[in-house]
Amino acid sequence: MAAACSFRSVAQVPPPLRGLARRRRVRCCSAATPSGVVSAKLVLEVKERLEREHPGLPTGRNGRDDEEMILWFLKDRKFSVDEAVSKLTKAIKWRQDFRISELSEESVKGLYQTGKAYVHDCFDIYGRPVLVVVASKHFPSIHDPVENEKLCAFLVEKALSRIPLGTENILGIFYLRGFGVENGDLQFLKFLIDVFYYYYPKRLGQVLFVDAPFVFQPMWQLVKPLLKQYASLVRFCDVETVRKEYFTEETVPPDFRS
């Protein structure tokens, strides 16, 4: 399995995003990026402010003194110290209140066993971990919403823990074949948007909506405005596109094999 699931030694460049995302990347590349010395000073400044203004926040990995995490949020906030401090405070408090460090496969076993969502064993051809959601197995009228959120957080953490060196984000796949009105869950989708915007910024490289039926369109019209410019991360496609453009024959997720 390890050999079959290894990604290519030289990972391909992910496909370009559409519209605004493409324009944003051009602006980002042309903007001045702080040097390593300046970045280190900004990290220290954020770190000292968090210690001074929020001494009760936890320390250690994913805590207020985690310099790697601080740098990531600084990059997300275009090196604005004030914005990075604000967003980091919100994210660290959420991790603490949600008890992210205590989540495990055992703690989410009830919903995990439904197969409604999982982290694929293999990377895509761009070297990214893959988080798959099978929408037809999601029943908001039956499944506890808090347990759904815990499963989501656990799987995002699991996917991010598998990011290899040189890769910065993951691929999300929503398999929508068989999706019906009973599977629609706007509350959960709002939670998911918050998770990736506030708590795991820039960690979602692309989202595939696969085999979306007509009945999904009203849900998309509600969700799209909430995504704002990040709607450009979404691509509607079919199963064949997933197989041919994102995986090798040996690494396709089981739900998309012929």
Side-chain angles (χ1 to χ4, degrees):
M1 177 64 74
C5 289
S6 61
F7 59 91
R8 299 177 186 180
S9 57
V10 181
Q12 299 183 34
V13 178
L17 301 176
R18 304 183 303 277
L20 178 59
R22 200 158 47 218
R23 294 194 294 273
R24 287 175 67 246
R25 187 167 61 230
V26 171
R27 287 200 299 269
C28 182
C29 291
S30 61
T33 301
S35 66
V37 173
V38 174
S39 295
K41 288 182 178 179
L42 293 175
V43 167
L44 181 60
E45 184 178 347
V46 171
K47 186 176 176 181
E48 289 176 344
R49 278 192 52 181
L50 287 172
E51 181 180 7
R52 183 172 62 252
E53 297 172 12
H54 305 282
L57 290 178
T59 57
R61 181 169 174 78
N62 295 312
R64 60 177 169 80
D65 60 347
D66 185 333
E67 295 187 356
E68 184 177 345
M69 183 180 185
I70 291 172
L71 179 59
W72 186 266
F73 274 71
L74 273 168
K75 290 178 179 178
D76 171 62
R77 295 293 86 198
K78 298 180 181 178
F79 292 92
S80 166
V81 170
D82 288 340
E83 291 185 19
V85 168
S86 176
K87 198 165 185 177
L88 272 163
T89 301
K90 184 181 181 74
I92 296 171
K93 282 182 176 178
W94 174 78
R95 296 183 65 89
Q96 185 178 38
D97 295 342
F98 212 73
R99 298 186 175 182
I100 295 296
S101 62
E102 298 177 18
L103 295 177
S104 65
E105 189 168 320
E106 181 63 27
S107 69
V108 298
K109 181 173 63 175
L111 287 183
Y112 188 70
Q113 290 179 339
T114 66
K116 65 193 291 182
Y118 58 91
V119 175
H120 183 38
D121 291 335
C122 307
F123 301 104
D124 71 358
I125 63 171
Y126 307 108
R128 299 176 297 194
V130 180
L131 177 56
V132 180
V133 176
V134 184
S136 63
K137 296 181 180 180
H138 178 69
F139 296 99
S141 64
I142 299 174
H143 301 155
D144 186 303
V146 175
E147 294 304 311
N148 277 325
E149 292 176 359
K150 287 181 179 179
L151 176 63
C152 170
F154 168 72
L155 291 175
V156 171
E157 285 281 315
K158 181 177 180 179
L160 293 178
S161 72
R162 300 184 70 234
I163 289 181
L165 187 65
T167 302
E168 295 186 333
N169 49 49
I170 67 175
L171 172 67
I173 303 180
F174 285 78
Y175 189 31
L176 297 169
R177 179 178 293 177
F179 175 89
V181 175
E182 67 276 12
N183 307 121
D185 191 348
L186 186 59
Q187 178 184 345
F188 177 73
L189 287 174
K190 287 180 177 178
F191 169 78
L192 193 59
I193 291 168
D194 283 349
V195 162
F196 280 106
Y197 179 78
Y198 293 110
Y199 315 134
Y200 301 97
K202 296 189 184 300
R203 288 304 191 183
L204 192 59
Q206 190 175 21
V207 179
L208 304 181
F209 284 168
V210 183
D211 281 1
F214 180 78
V215 71
F216 179 74
Q217 292 307 312
M219 178 67 68
W220 171 241
Q221 295 306 315
L222 292 173
V223 171
K224 188 177 180 180
L226 302 177
L227 293 172
K228 300 180 181 179
Q229 69 265 34
Y230 296 103
S232 60
L233 295 177
V234 174
R235 179 184 183 186
F236 284 84
C237 64
D238 57 21
V239 169
E240 192 64 18
T241 299
V242 174
R243 292 189 195 125
K244 290 186 175 181
E245 297 186 19
Y246 293 88
F247 298 93
T248 64
E249 185 176 344
E250 295 80 14
T251 62
V252 176
D255 286 292
F256 307 107
R257 291 173 187 163
S258 54

